[in-house]
Amino acid sequence: MGLKNREEKIEERKERREKRGSRKRQFECSRELLPFVLYFLFFITSCGKKTSTFNDSQVFRYNEHSNITSLDPAFAKDQRNIWAVNQLYNGLVELDDSLQVQPSIAKNWTISEDGKTYQFHLRNDVLFHKHELFGKDSTRNVIAKDFEYSFNRLLDKNVASPGGWVLQNVANFKAKSDSVFTINLKQPFPPFLGLLAMKYCSVVPKEAVDYFGNEFRANPIGTGPFHFKLWVENTKLVLRKNPLFFEKDENGNQLPYLEAVAVTFLPDKQSEFLQFIQGNIDFMKSLDASYKDDILNTDGTLKEKYVSKINMKTGAYLNTEYLGIYLDGEEEHPTKSKLIRQAINFGFDREKMIKFLRNGIGSPATSGFIPKGLPSFNNQQGYSYKPEEAKKLVAQYKEETGDENPQIAITTNSNYLDLCEFIQRELQKIGIVTKVDVIPPSTLRQGKANGKLPIFRASWIADYPDAENYVSLFYSKNFTPNGPNYTHFKNEFFDRLYEQSIKEINVKKRYKLYQKMDSIIIAEAPIVPLYYDEVIRFTQKNVSGLGINPIDLLNLKRVQKN
């Protein structure tokens, strides 16, 4: 259930990009309001009758291309919501930029020898954001009962949170005292701590949810470094510094450093780019085809004219872009043969594709399906560009089957047409007649789920830092429509390794199992890995403390503007 939601999430992101044109007119008013949002907004009344005195250098400004749909962590299902929620809430644990699990509201924890019982010991200095509903003190401490309530809410069918799958392996959970929270699993699942770092598992106060009901989505109360101030949907979101935040830096200074965060909602990436270059926003999170050649060289470095004006960071992203091959299709289809699947993998130059079509952003997927950025990635040998080997495989296929004119069709959406046309031209050279079909993202998603597409372009983004995210796509019990195995790959040895891996507590042994499974995927070729994506972040020169991580989570508690 959870894996299927993640696939839908990925495709929904891409579908929103295709709707930008029609949404542009709808948000025309938002663009006109931008100067007021940026320069007037933060001089409004801040708390009670006090007037804010901070200046523009203490406000961090960024843009979202699509409207945030909810500030309730139970609905933090895609990046636009996750980024905002991450500023407002905390969970038991969190991930650092190296994807290591770190304490958050839980100061420490123990795991039983059988890997099934987790006992968390909570800090006693974590307070909810101030609000009159808490009574005369306007706040209160977080206790273990709050996590018990929050987890039950996540599983409540009436709430209908898309994040309930995170707890699907949980047998029960209980507050043993105000400071001790215990979780029992149905069976060992070593990636579980990483799952708990997801924003779905944030703590919320029962008083606030009871008081606001469905409107809690627009009246968030959490424990995070910033508290809610203002949200005008499709126009602006304002968060203010939480003076009660429990974290301090290494020198004992209160976090966060910033006084406020301002989010605008310009749907057009060209407009966002212009606002960034003019210095009206502090951070830009992505690279659009419309301006990539203006800002980047083909090797992925900044053009000379921008080097002195802005900063750029890139890093591994837990996203593998690939072509999936449906293996339960008609017997006469060429891709039923492993020879053709391997020929496709050998038949095009991934390095050339990344350099000229993506300006060097990303790295060729030549080491299997598990992407760079995961600890279990071991750079094993996958498929590189070997056109002569590809031709031999095609010739062998023709000789064995009598099919002198193998033909395939790759189905994609318009966002990846250039990549698929590049592959099309390359495969023609090795003797495979290739057609590219372009369909809407929703139709592509449905076609994959129903097994109607022999070859389809797809993405897989990890939600937690463990390769189980990736190998689960090839476990035979996960066949669509009940799971994410869109290729209908089935291999008994692979299945045994997978079942062994999800119970293996020893980290090094589990990583070796993942790598063995990845090597089976390389050999059997049910997919064609294209590239491992990268996170790219642009900031103004005066911004510091903004890290970068393989799950592309925005963390602003240590950001400063100098």
Side-chain angles (χ1 to χ4, degrees), residues 123-141:
R123 299 175 62 126
N124 61 8
D125 59 349
V126 181
L127 300 171
F128 284 113
H129 297 153
K130 280 192 172 184
H131 196 280
E132 60 187 14
L133 63 86
F134 290 120
K136 65 176 183 178
D137 295 326
S138 299
T139 186
R140 68 167 177 82
N141 284 80

Side-chain angles (χ1 to χ4, degrees), residues 61 73 75 137 140 147 163 222 225 346 355 371 392 413 432 437 469 474 479 511-512 529:
R61 306 158 298 175
F75 296 90
D137 295 326
R140 68 167 177 82
F147 278 100
F346 281 127
K355 180 176 182 179
K392 290 179 182 178
N413 62 42
I432 301 177
D437 294 326
N469 274 262
F474 307 99
F479 275 10
Y511 288 173
K512 287 182 179 180

Side-chain angles (χ1 to χ4, degrees), residues 139 177 206 320 377 393 405 468 521 524:
T139 186
S177 68
K206 184 178 187 298
T320 300
F377 178 83
L393 290 166
N405 191 33
E468 190 273 337
I521 298 305
E524 297 300 319

Side-chain angles (χ1 to χ4, degrees), residues 116-161:
K116 294 170 67 175
T117 300
Y118 291 68
Q119 185 163 282
F120 296 90
H121 301 270
L122 309 188
R123 299 175 62 126
N124 61 8
D125 59 349
V126 181
L127 300 171
F128 284 113
H129 297 153
K130 280 192 172 184
H131 196 280
E132 60 187 14
L133 63 86
F134 290 120
K136 65 176 183 178
D137 295 326
S138 299
T139 186
R140 68 167 177 82
N141 284 80
V142 173
I143 59 176
K145 278 284 186 184
D146 293 312
F147 278 100
E148 190 175 298
Y149 168 76
S150 300
F151 281 25
N152 276 318
R153 182 171 178 262
L154 199 61
L155 296 172
D156 188 342
K157 292 182 179 179
N158 292 323
V159 175
S161 167

